[in-house]
Amino acid sequence: MHAEDVPLPLIAQEVGTPVYVYSRATLERHAQVFRDGLNDVPDKLIAFAVKANPNLAVLKVLQSQGYGADVVSVGEMRRALAAGIAPEKVVFSGVGKTRAELIAGLEAGIGQFNIESEEEGLELAEVARELGLEAQCTLRINPDVDAGTHDKISTGKADNKFGVPISQAGQIFGKLASEGGVNLRGVAVHIGSQLGDLAPLENAFNKLGELVSALRGAGHTITHVDLGGGLGVPYKQGETPPSPAEYGAMVARVTADWGVKLIFEPGRVIAGNAGVLLTRVVRVKRGVKDPFVIVDAAMNDLARPALYGAYHDFTAVEPNGRDMTANIVGPICETGDTFAMGRLCDHLEAGDLAVFRTAGAYGATMASSYNSRGFVAEVLVDGDKYAVVADRIDAGAIMDAERVPEWLA
Ligand code: LLP
């Protein structure tokens, strides 16, 4: 198995495992396909959701594709700017932006704040006035739509913490629009991630369209609407989530007469299938029923199976033509560190290499150092060359940041 033209065993040998491997060509192709899908949307900004993969080199690839960035923390904002993304192409989302983050965003001159509550809007207005600046803003709306995805990544139901209830949107918009320091110029929505069906998105966008008309009817000027991200990707062979072209056609149809600039915040659809997590089998242990294939990657490196019961395809780097049914587990000391039970997969033995696929989004970025395992390295491949784009941070380096106070010594 290769990533572009680089054999994965070479990367494993030179960089070690576990290691995330990303493909520049795939990132670029996904960026282009997503943009092409939106050909019928005349005025738009595509802002990559940095949370999906904040690696600087990945951001640089997308910056070169003309992408902006959707950020949710000052850390993500600094990464986007460091990758050369122009501040006006940065959108700051997030339900708990601190005062310091609001100030940092204002001082950096970012293009848009997506305000998530009346309280946040008032604070942003106050901070902006103090700085003598004006924040460009949309108000994030909670449309009360069930995205039909995993509960933990659903964001648009009434009891989710995100945005202002659509029933109160007119009133809150009116209040914030009259504040100095903020130019409230539109609305935003994001109902969830890994959506396998366009219907909930269309439903949410239609509700937003009605709100735009109502706001205009009330005398507000609406020039920007942020439609968020959420488009799903195939994790299993045979899965066929809506394509960017189908998504784009729906968006163009629903928004045809809105007369606004549209902002998109795709994450997973750009990065998900542009990366794998390369791992080595530590050993194969007999089980009562199926054997346990114990790999050197664990839930701290790829958290999605443990957190959401997510499926990641698992295949051998050098398949020997045989298969096996096995439990795929990591070395961490809890049962949650299980990637798959009873999975039919390639036959593997101790020392063999394998990959978890579709690991380019919400992979490395969600890593922790649980069990003092350190942080995994990341590699970007480009044709027949590759570079380590994030060093492995070993457990020792993390321990170096800790100290025992004198009064305990
Ligand atoms: N915009 C906002 C405001 C978001 O909250 C998100 C994702 C996105 C855009 C990008 O969504 P995407 O296009 O990637 O679906 N850790 C979870 C996913 C959490 C998504 C959080 N918000 C997972 O591994 O499935």
Side-chain angles (χ1 to χ4, degrees):
M1 188 184 292
H2 288 60
E4 300 194 23
D5 298 327
V6 180
L8 290 181
L10 181 73
I11 294 175
Q13 188 195 324
E14 293 185 355
V15 186
T17 55
V19 56
Y20 279 94
V21 182
Y22 311 128
S23 156
R24 175 183 181 178
T26 309
L27 284 167
E28 290 178 345
R29 192 177 73 246
H30 290 175
Q32 284 156 13
V33 166
F34 191 81
R35 189 177 38 230
D36 290 350
L38 295 169
N39 267 341
D40 291 336
V41 174
D43 193 9
K44 57 181 171 282
L45 168 69
I46 308 178
F48 176 64
V50 171
K51 64 174 80 66
N53 190 325
N55 182 277
L56 271 183
V58 168
L59 296 184
K60 182 68 195 165
V61 170
L62 296 171
Q63 181 268 343
S64 306
Q65 288 293 313
Y67 273 50
D70 163 51
V71 305
V72 293
S73 68
V74 71
E76 287 190 353
M77 184 187 84
R78 300 239 183 277
R79 284 172 174 274
L81 298 176
I85 294 174
E88 33 320 341
K89 287 189 178 177
V90 175
V91 176
F92 206 140
S93 305
V95 71
K97 305 176 199 77
T98 63
R99 198 175 187 90
E101 287 178 319
L102 296 176
I103 292 171
L106 280 162
E107 286 180 338
I110 64 151
Q112 179 171 300
F113 290 87
N114 291 343
I115 299 173
E116 297 245 6
S117 62
E118 178 176 331
E119 295 82 354
E120 180 196 338
L122 292 174
E123 187 167 352
L124 176 60
E126 181 193 310
V127 171
R129 286 194 303 263
E130 278 169 21
L131 294 173
L133 297 169
E134 185 180 64
Q136 306 304 310
C137 305
T138 67
L139 182 62
R140 178 164 175 185
I141 309 301
N142 184 322
D144 195 17
V145 167
D146 186 347
T149 186
H150 193 282
D151 268 352
K152 287 189 183 160
I153 54 175
S154 170
T155 53
K157 287 190 277 190
D159 58 358
N160 295 148
K161 65 182 175 179
F162 300 97
V164 303
I166 193 155
S167 56
Q168 299 168 20
Q171 182 221 332
I172 295 175
F173 197 101
K175 178 152 188 201
L176 294 178
S178 67
E179 286 285 320
V182 292
N183 175 28
L184 194 54
R185 59 187 193 182
V187 288
V189 74
H190 172 79
I191 61 170
S193 195
Q194 184 54 13
L195 272 60
D197 182 5
L198 291 180
L201 285 169
E202 182 163 351
N203 185 3
F205 297 167
N206 277 322
K207 288 189 175 196
L208 217 59
E210 285 166 22
L211 177 64
V212 167
S213 300
L215 291 170
R216 284 179 171 153
H220 298 296
T221 305
I222 305 295
T223 55
H224 292 68
V225 175
D226 186 328
L227 296 181
L231 197 56
V233 302
Y235 278 89
K236 265 183 209 165
Q237 277 180 11
E239 271 179 0
T240 52
S243 68
E246 290 165 324
Y247 170 80
M250 180 275 283
V251 168
R253 176 166 49 76
V254 171
T255 64
D257 60 359
W258 289 11
V260 295
K261 176 169 187 152
L262 289 179
I263 295 104
F264 298 90
E265 304 172 350
R268 190 185 320 256
V269 73
I270 305 296
N273 273 312
V276 297
L277 173 58
L278 177 60
T279 185
R280 197 179 285 283
V281 177
V282 176
R283 76 178 52 84
V284 179
K285 167 182 167 170
R286 265 194 320 278
V288 171
K289 188 165 170 253
D290 300 321
F292 291 93
V293 172
I294 307 167
V295 295
D296 66 0
M299 64 188 285
N300 72 304
D301 308 310
L302 177 64
R304 305 192 67 258
L307 266 182
Y308 319 118
Y311 179 101
H312 283 265
D313 216 357
F314 178 74
T315 46
V317 167
E318 294 165 296
N320 59 18
R322 289 186 288 149
D323 57 25
M324 71 195 294
T325 299
N327 308 317
I328 320 296
V329 301
I332 281 184
C333 296
E334 61 177 273
T335 303
D337 187 25
T338 297
F339 293 106
M341 292 296 287
R343 175 81 65 89
L344 179 64
C345 63
D346 294 324
H347 180 267
L348 287 161
E349 285 171 17
D352 289 348
L353 291 169
V355 294
F356 292 101
R357 294 182 188 268
T358 322
Y362 306 112
T365 180
M366 291 173 67
S368 76
S369 66
Y370 186 38
N371 274 210
S372 292
R373 286 171 44 84
F375 287 97
V376 72
E378 296 167 78
V379 158
L380 181 70
V381 172
D382 179 10
D384 60 4
K385 64 175 184 284
Y386 77 85
V388 176
V389 293
D391 290 340
R392 191 177 304 282
I393 300 177
D394 69 24
I398 297 171
M399 191 167 69
D400 285 347
E402 298 172 20
R403 62 199 55 83
V404 176
E406 237 169 61
W407 41 264
L408 270 185

